[in-house]
């Protein structure tokens, strides 16, 4: 494996780990209902009835 490919894989892994940790942090803070409410509002606005 080339060094450049290894760096790309490490950066990708780091980005995935940051994303997963952010989701877990949000769940532990109790932000799941807020996220679903915002998702519903955004979808209703997108289709023009919200």
């Amino acid at each position: 494996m080339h060094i450049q490919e290894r760096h790309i894989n490490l950066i990708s892994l780091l980005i995935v780990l940051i994303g997963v940790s952010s989701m877990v942090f949000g769940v532990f803070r109790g932000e799941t209902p807020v996220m679903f409410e915002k998702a519903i509002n955004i979808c209703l606005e997108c289709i023009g009835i919200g």
Side-chain angles (χ1 to χ4, degrees):
M1 183 181 288
H2 298 284
I3 292 175
Q4 188 174 7
E5 290 178 8
R6 184 177 276 170
H7 280 246
I8 291 172
N9 287 338
L10 287 175
I11 291 172
S12 300
L13 179 65
L14 181 65
I15 291 172
V16 169
L17 287 175
I18 290 171
V20 170
S21 348
S22 296
M23 286 191 304
V24 170
F25 183 69
V27 168
F28 281 117
R29 287 188 54 180
E31 295 181 7
T32 304
V34 174
M35 188 263 316
F36 281 121
E37 183 179 328
K38 286 184 178 183
I40 290 170
N41 288 337
I42 288 173
C43 288
L44 292 176
E45 289 175 3
C46 290
I47 59 175
I49 59 171

